[in-house]
Amino acid sequence: METLIQKAMEAREYAYAPYSGFMVGAALECGDGTVYTGCNIENASYTPTNCAERTAFFKAVSEGKREFRRIAILGGPREGLTDLSPCGVCLQVMAEFCDPDKFEIIMAKSGTEYIRKTLGELLPFRFSL
Ligand code: THU
């Protein structure tokens, strides 16, 4: 657990957040144990901004991964970490690929301080076709 959180912490260093100053890092563990990291990437036009969670998912999916076990996320202003839960858009992306009862979201404030929830707890309903 601490290793995954540490990887999210390292990814947060790459956050591109000149508009909000809110830096987020994520580390996504795939079914085969590999880890993809992500950070938020903002844009002057605001709407194209990509959250750290989606960056990690899109990196992994674009390299052929389809099975996921858990994701660690953390964020806050440059000076420190605050409470953080994934946004609705990121939860919908997770719901595309993950079992709501099994996939875990680890929301961390440090290596040892975190809250763990299943995807189903954070997103009890989802859109599907
Ligand atoms: N953000 C994330 O990267 N993940 C979240 O879970 C919530 C919000 C980013 C988007 C934006 O760059 C900044 O945090 C402030 O909303």
Side-chain angles (χ1 to χ4, degrees), residues 2 10 16 18 21 28 40 42 45 50 74 78 83 89 104 109 113 121 126:
E2 282 210 38
E10 285 161 23
Y16 177 73
L28 172 65
N40 53 329
E42 298 189 343
S45 183
N50 209 55
L74 40 80
R78 178 168 288 282
D83 290 322
V89 173
E104 278 191 340
K109 270 192 152 171
E113 267 180 295
E121 286 176 301
R126 68 177 171 119

PDB file of all heavy atoms in Angstrom, residues 2 10 16 18 21 28 40 42 45 50 74 78 83 89 104 109 113 121 126:
ATOM      1  N   GLU A   2       1.850   1.273   0.908  1.00  0.00           N
ATOM      2  CA  GLU A   2       2.725   2.457   1.003  1.00  0.00           C
ATOM      3  C   GLU A   2       3.473   2.699  -0.298  1.00  0.00           C
ATOM      4  O   GLU A   2       3.701   3.851  -0.678  1.00  0.00           O
ATOM      5  CB  GLU A   2       3.730   2.288   2.154  1.00  0.00           C
ATOM      6  CG  GLU A   2       3.089   2.547   3.488  1.00  0.00           C
ATOM      7  CD  GLU A   2       4.084   3.106   4.514  1.00  0.00           C
ATOM      8  OE1 GLU A   2       4.943   3.910   4.130  1.00  0.00           O
ATOM      9  OE2 GLU A   2       3.980   2.716   5.683  1.00  0.00           O
ATOM     10  N   GLU A  10       5.141  10.652  -6.128  1.00  0.00           N
ATOM     11  CA  GLU A  10       6.159  11.010  -7.127  1.00  0.00           C
ATOM     12  C   GLU A  10       5.512  11.578  -8.382  1.00  0.00           C
ATOM     13  O   GLU A  10       5.990  12.553  -8.962  1.00  0.00           O
ATOM     14  CB  GLU A  10       7.016   9.775  -7.466  1.00  0.00           C
ATOM     15  CG  GLU A  10       8.009   9.439  -6.360  1.00  0.00           C
ATOM     16  CD  GLU A  10       8.539   8.005  -6.442  1.00  0.00           C
ATOM     17  OE1 GLU A  10       8.498   7.412  -7.542  1.00  0.00           O
ATOM     18  OE2 GLU A  10       8.989   7.497  -5.404  1.00  0.00           O
ATOM     19  N   TYR A  16       0.752  19.503 -13.779  1.00  0.00           N
ATOM     20  CA  TYR A  16       0.796  20.789 -14.485  1.00  0.00           C
ATOM     21  C   TYR A  16      -0.475  21.522 -14.087  1.00  0.00           C
ATOM     22  O   TYR A  16      -1.556  21.259 -14.628  1.00  0.00           O
ATOM     23  CB  TYR A  16       0.861  20.557 -15.998  1.00  0.00           C
ATOM     24  CG  TYR A  16       0.840  21.855 -16.775  1.00  0.00           C
ATOM     25  CD1 TYR A  16       1.964  22.692 -16.806  1.00  0.00           C
ATOM     26  CD2 TYR A  16      -0.309  22.256 -17.452  1.00  0.00           C
ATOM     27  CE1 TYR A  16       1.942  23.886 -17.501  1.00  0.00           C
ATOM     28  CE2 TYR A  16      -0.334  23.457 -18.150  1.00  0.00           C
ATOM     29  CZ  TYR A  16       0.790  24.260 -18.168  1.00  0.00           C
ATOM     30  OH  TYR A  16       0.776  25.448 -18.845  1.00  0.00           O
ATOM     31  N   PRO A  18      -1.012  25.252 -13.329  1.00  0.00           N
ATOM     32  CA  PRO A  18      -0.737  26.672 -13.127  1.00  0.00           C
ATOM     33  C   PRO A  18      -1.979  27.491 -12.810  1.00  0.00           C
ATOM     34  O   PRO A  18      -1.858  28.613 -12.323  1.00  0.00           O
ATOM     35  CB  PRO A  18      -0.124  27.097 -14.468  1.00  0.00           C
ATOM     36  CG  PRO A  18      -0.678  26.149 -15.465  1.00  0.00           C
ATOM     37  CD  PRO A  18      -0.838  24.855 -14.734  1.00  0.00           C
ATOM     38  N   GLY A  21      -3.388  25.625  -9.021  1.00  0.00           N
ATOM     39  CA  GLY A  21      -2.354  25.412  -8.014  1.00  0.00           C
ATOM     40  C   GLY A  21      -2.590  24.145  -7.197  1.00  0.00           C
ATOM     41  O   GLY A  21      -1.913  23.889  -6.208  1.00  0.00           O
ATOM     42  N   LEU A  28      -1.972   3.707 -10.476  1.00  0.00           N
ATOM     43  CA  LEU A  28      -2.984   2.697 -10.812  1.00  0.00           C
ATOM     44  C   LEU A  28      -2.330   1.328 -10.946  1.00  0.00           C
ATOM     45  O   LEU A  28      -1.412   1.158 -11.752  1.00  0.00           O
ATOM     46  CB  LEU A  28      -3.641   3.098 -12.145  1.00  0.00           C
ATOM     47  CG  LEU A  28      -4.599   2.117 -12.794  1.00  0.00           C
ATOM     48  CD1 LEU A  28      -5.845   1.899 -11.924  1.00  0.00           C
ATOM     49  CD2 LEU A  28      -5.010   2.628 -14.180  1.00  0.00           C
ATOM     50  N   ASN A  40      -2.453  15.568 -12.830  1.00  0.00           N
ATOM     51  CA  ASN A  40      -3.417  16.420 -13.526  1.00  0.00           C
ATOM     52  C   ASN A  40      -2.683  17.335 -14.504  1.00  0.00           C
ATOM     53  O   ASN A  40      -1.548  17.758 -14.255  1.00  0.00           O
ATOM     54  CB  ASN A  40      -4.303  17.204 -12.557  1.00  0.00           C
ATOM     55  CG  ASN A  40      -3.548  18.005 -11.523  1.00  0.00           C
ATOM     56  OD1 ASN A  40      -2.457  17.640 -11.097  1.00  0.00           O
ATOM     57  ND2 ASN A  40      -4.123  19.117 -11.105  1.00  0.00           N
ATOM     58  N   GLU A  42      -3.528  20.709 -16.627  1.00  0.00           N
ATOM     59  CA  GLU A  42      -4.521  21.774 -16.841  1.00  0.00           C
ATOM     60  C   GLU A  42      -4.308  22.458 -18.180  1.00  0.00           C
ATOM     61  O   GLU A  42      -3.313  22.221 -18.876  1.00  0.00           O
ATOM     62  CB  GLU A  42      -4.447  22.767 -15.674  1.00  0.00           C
ATOM     63  CG  GLU A  42      -4.794  22.090 -14.363  1.00  0.00           C
ATOM     64  CD  GLU A  42      -4.959  23.059 -13.188  1.00  0.00           C
ATOM     65  OE1 GLU A  42      -4.511  24.214 -13.266  1.00  0.00           O
ATOM     66  OE2 GLU A  42      -5.537  22.612 -12.175  1.00  0.00           O
ATOM     67  N   SER A  45      -7.720  26.910 -21.402  1.00  0.00           N
ATOM     68  CA  SER A  45      -9.132  26.890 -21.759  1.00  0.00           C
ATOM     69  C   SER A  45      -9.974  26.088 -20.738  1.00  0.00           C
ATOM     70  O   SER A  45     -11.152  25.820 -20.971  1.00  0.00           O
ATOM     71  CB  SER A  45      -9.298  26.315 -23.168  1.00  0.00           C
ATOM     72  OG  SER A  45     -10.623  26.342 -23.569  1.00  0.00           O
ATOM     73  N   ASN A  50      -7.216  17.537 -17.658  1.00  0.00           N
ATOM     74  CA  ASN A  50      -7.339  16.101 -17.384  1.00  0.00           C
ATOM     75  C   ASN A  50      -6.904  15.808 -15.952  1.00  0.00           C
ATOM     76  O   ASN A  50      -5.828  16.237 -15.527  1.00  0.00           O
ATOM     77  CB  ASN A  50      -6.474  15.300 -18.367  1.00  0.00           C
ATOM     78  CG  ASN A  50      -7.041  13.924 -18.626  1.00  0.00           C
ATOM     79  OD1 ASN A  50      -8.199  13.804 -19.024  1.00  0.00           O
ATOM     80  ND2 ASN A  50      -6.259  12.898 -18.400  1.00  0.00           N
ATOM     81  N   LEU A  74      -3.737  11.249  -4.396  1.00  0.00           N
ATOM     82  CA  LEU A  74      -3.509  12.269  -3.366  1.00  0.00           C
ATOM     83  C   LEU A  74      -3.344  13.619  -4.042  1.00  0.00           C
ATOM     84  O   LEU A  74      -2.983  13.710  -5.209  1.00  0.00           O
ATOM     85  CB  LEU A  74      -2.287  11.927  -2.512  1.00  0.00           C
ATOM     86  CG  LEU A  74      -1.062  11.347  -3.206  1.00  0.00           C
ATOM     87  CD1 LEU A  74      -0.273  12.447  -3.851  1.00  0.00           C
ATOM     88  CD2 LEU A  74      -0.206  10.599  -2.215  1.00  0.00           C
ATOM     89  N   ARG A  78       0.518  23.012  -3.499  1.00  0.00           N
ATOM     90  CA  ARG A  78       1.927  22.568  -3.519  1.00  0.00           C
ATOM     91  C   ARG A  78       2.460  22.238  -2.127  1.00  0.00           C
ATOM     92  O   ARG A  78       3.179  21.268  -1.932  1.00  0.00           O
ATOM     93  CB  ARG A  78       2.795  23.659  -4.170  1.00  0.00           C
ATOM     94  CG  ARG A  78       4.262  23.314  -4.201  1.00  0.00           C
ATOM     95  CD  ARG A  78       5.053  24.258  -5.088  1.00  0.00           C
ATOM     96  NE  ARG A  78       4.813  24.057  -6.509  1.00  0.00           N
ATOM     97  CZ  ARG A  78       5.354  23.068  -7.222  1.00  0.00           C
ATOM     98  NH1 ARG A  78       6.147  22.192  -6.662  1.00  0.00           N
ATOM     99  NH2 ARG A  78       5.109  22.951  -8.511  1.00  0.00           N
ATOM    100  N   ASP A  83      -7.856  16.526   1.894  1.00  0.00           N
ATOM    101  CA  ASP A  83      -8.799  15.448   1.581  1.00  0.00           C
ATOM    102  C   ASP A  83      -9.160  15.527   0.101  1.00  0.00           C
ATOM    103  O   ASP A  83      -9.332  16.614  -0.439  1.00  0.00           O
ATOM    104  CB  ASP A  83     -10.069  15.591   2.424  1.00  0.00           C
ATOM    105  CG  ASP A  83      -9.793  15.290   3.887  1.00  0.00           C
ATOM    106  OD1 ASP A  83      -9.001  14.370   4.162  1.00  0.00           O
ATOM    107  OD2 ASP A  83     -10.364  15.977   4.745  1.00  0.00           O
ATOM    108  N   VAL A  89     -16.462  12.433 -13.216  1.00  0.00           N
ATOM    109  CA  VAL A  89     -16.015  12.013 -14.546  1.00  0.00           C
ATOM    110  C   VAL A  89     -15.006  10.865 -14.413  1.00  0.00           C
ATOM    111  O   VAL A  89     -15.069   9.871 -15.138  1.00  0.00           O
ATOM    112  CB  VAL A  89     -15.411  13.210 -15.315  1.00  0.00           C
ATOM    113  CG1 VAL A  89     -14.792  12.753 -16.623  1.00  0.00           C
ATOM    114  CG2 VAL A  89     -16.479  14.267 -15.570  1.00  0.00           C
ATOM    115  N   GLU A 104     -10.542  -0.869  -5.787  1.00  0.00           N
ATOM    116  CA  GLU A 104     -10.386  -0.023  -4.597  1.00  0.00           C
ATOM    117  C   GLU A 104      -9.776   1.328  -4.922  1.00  0.00           C
ATOM    118  O   GLU A 104      -8.815   1.409  -5.704  1.00  0.00           O
ATOM    119  CB  GLU A 104      -9.459  -0.710  -3.587  1.00  0.00           C
ATOM    120  CG  GLU A 104     -10.175  -1.722  -2.747  1.00  0.00           C
ATOM    121  CD  GLU A 104      -9.297  -2.174  -1.583  1.00  0.00           C
ATOM    122  OE1 GLU A 104      -8.058  -2.007  -1.652  1.00  0.00           O
ATOM    123  OE2 GLU A 104      -9.857  -2.693  -0.619  1.00  0.00           O
ATOM    124  N   LYS A 109      -3.435  10.770   2.479  1.00  0.00           N
ATOM    125  CA  LYS A 109      -2.893  12.053   2.967  1.00  0.00           C
ATOM    126  C   LYS A 109      -1.414  11.889   3.310  1.00  0.00           C
ATOM    127  O   LYS A 109      -0.685  12.860   3.442  1.00  0.00           O
ATOM    128  CB  LYS A 109      -3.667  12.511   4.185  1.00  0.00           C
ATOM    129  CG  LYS A 109      -4.859  13.391   3.817  1.00  0.00           C
ATOM    130  CD  LYS A 109      -5.380  14.017   5.066  1.00  0.00           C
ATOM    131  CE  LYS A 109      -6.055  15.302   4.945  1.00  0.00           C
ATOM    132  NZ  LYS A 109      -6.699  15.689   6.190  1.00  0.00           N
ATOM    133  N   GLU A 113      -1.658   7.331   6.215  1.00  0.00           N
ATOM    134  CA  GLU A 113      -2.985   7.908   6.494  1.00  0.00           C
ATOM    135  C   GLU A 113      -3.803   7.882   5.211  1.00  0.00           C
ATOM    136  O   GLU A 113      -3.492   8.646   4.265  1.00  0.00           O
ATOM    137  CB  GLU A 113      -2.843   9.392   6.844  1.00  0.00           C
ATOM    138  CG  GLU A 113      -2.715   9.755   8.276  1.00  0.00           C
ATOM    139  CD  GLU A 113      -2.589  11.268   8.350  1.00  0.00           C
ATOM    140  OE1 GLU A 113      -1.575  11.782   7.841  1.00  0.00           O
ATOM    141  OE2 GLU A 113      -3.494  11.915   8.872  1.00  0.00           O
ATOM    142  N   GLU A 121     -18.893   1.973  -3.768  1.00  0.00           N
ATOM    143  CA  GLU A 121     -19.260   2.856  -2.651  1.00  0.00           C
ATOM    144  C   GLU A 121     -19.270   4.319  -3.100  1.00  0.00           C
ATOM    145  O   GLU A 121     -20.101   5.104  -2.660  1.00  0.00           O
ATOM    146  CB  GLU A 121     -18.277   2.678  -1.485  1.00  0.00           C
ATOM    147  CG  GLU A 121     -18.480   1.380  -0.734  1.00  0.00           C
ATOM    148  CD  GLU A 121     -17.433   1.181   0.357  1.00  0.00           C
ATOM    149  OE1 GLU A 121     -16.220   1.157   0.031  1.00  0.00           O
ATOM    150  OE2 GLU A 121     -17.829   1.034   1.529  1.00  0.00           O
ATOM    151  N   ARG A 126     -24.117   4.015 -12.354  1.00  0.00           N
ATOM    152  CA  ARG A 126     -23.279   4.557 -13.426  1.00  0.00           C
ATOM    153  C   ARG A 126     -24.048   4.511 -14.729  1.00  0.00           C
ATOM    154  O   ARG A 126     -25.005   3.741 -14.871  1.00  0.00           O
ATOM    155  CB  ARG A 126     -22.000   3.760 -13.570  1.00  0.00           C
ATOM    156  CG  ARG A 126     -22.246   2.356 -14.090  1.00  0.00           C
ATOM    157  CD  ARG A 126     -20.935   1.616 -14.286  1.00  0.00           C
ATOM    158  NE  ARG A 126     -21.204   0.220 -14.586  1.00  0.00           N
ATOM    159  CZ  ARG A 126     -20.827  -0.354 -15.729  1.00  0.00           C
ATOM    160  NH1 ARG A 126     -20.213   0.346 -16.661  1.00  0.00           N
ATOM    161  NH2 ARG A 126     -21.072  -1.602 -15.935  1.00  0.00           N
TER     162      ARG A 126
END
